[in-house]
């Protein structure tokens, strides 16, 4: 089963995406910040990560830097899922290998699930 990690500090949002993706047959785990996210990712080794940027303890960009510094984290697909507009986007994110940058407010959970499915279609069967 394809594993997805959702790193999001707003529990209701994380659970909403988790529910939608589980309906599609994915195994989905959540973490509330970048530090807990790194621990979760290390434990489950997901195929894809939905990553928020603005979080307590460790923000998404810091977490992504640490993830990419590990051998096992270099190739995991990452979709940034945030409410920071493209204008406020850090140029460093492109260097850190992000598949997509999605502004949460512009997409429904169903649309996010479709984007995830399309992204995963090329990596491994579900």
């Amino acid at each position: 089963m394809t594993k997805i990690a959702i790193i999001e500090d707003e529990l209701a949002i994380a659970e909403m995406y988790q529910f939608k993706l589980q309906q599609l047959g994915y195994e989905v785990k959540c973490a509330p910040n970048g530090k807990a996210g790194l621990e979760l990712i290390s434990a489950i080794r997901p195929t894809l990560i939905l990553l928020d940027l603005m979080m307590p303890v460790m923000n998404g960009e810091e977490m992504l830097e640490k993830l990419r510094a590990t051998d096992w984290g270099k190739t995991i697909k990452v979709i940034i899922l945030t409410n920071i507009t493209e204008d406020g986007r850090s140029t460093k994110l492109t260097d850190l290998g992000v598949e997509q940058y999605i502004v949460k407010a512009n997409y429904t959970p169903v649309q996010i699930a479709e984007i995830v499915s399309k992204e995963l279609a090329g990596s491994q069967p579900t």
Side-chain angles (χ1 to χ4, degrees):
M1 183 181 288
T2 302
K3 296 176 186 175
I4 298 172
I6 299 173
I7 316 304
E8 165 68 62
D9 63 323
E10 292 183 49
L11 183 61
I13 291 173
E15 288 177 343
M16 179 177 58
Y17 293 128
Q18 181 178 30
F19 178 74
K20 271 290 163 215
L21 292 167
Q22 285 174 333
Q23 284 183 316
L24 296 176
Y26 299 113
E27 181 181 330
V28 185
K29 303 282 185 199
C30 302
N33 60 61
K35 184 176 185 297
L38 277 177
E39 292 166 6
L40 173 69
I41 294 160
S42 175
I44 69 167
R45 304 288 169 100
T47 304
L48 183 135
I49 300 166
L50 290 176
L51 179 63
D52 188 17
L53 292 178
M54 298 300 292
M55 298 180 290
V57 184
M58 179 189 296
N59 70 39
E61 190 171 312
E62 287 176 85
M63 193 212 89
L64 187 56
E65 280 185 80
K66 291 182 187 307
L67 175 71
R68 293 302 191 216
T70 66
D71 287 338
W72 51 265
K74 288 181 174 137
T75 58
I76 297 174
K77 292 178 179 275
V78 176
I79 296 176
I80 299 296
L81 192 57
T82 186
N83 274 324
I84 298 173
T85 63
E86 285 279 353
D87 296 341
R89 177 183 180 170
S90 165
T91 53
K92 194 188 293 185
L93 290 173
T94 305
D95 298 336
L96 291 170
V98 170
E99 266 53 58
Q100 294 191 47
Y101 188 97
I102 298 171
V103 177
K104 285 186 257 193
N106 298 343
Y107 294 85
T108 67
V110 170
Q111 289 172 315
I112 297 296
E114 289 170 0
I115 290 167
V116 167
S117 291
K118 284 179 188 167
E119 195 61 55
L120 289 169
S123 60
Q124 62 178 239
T126 55

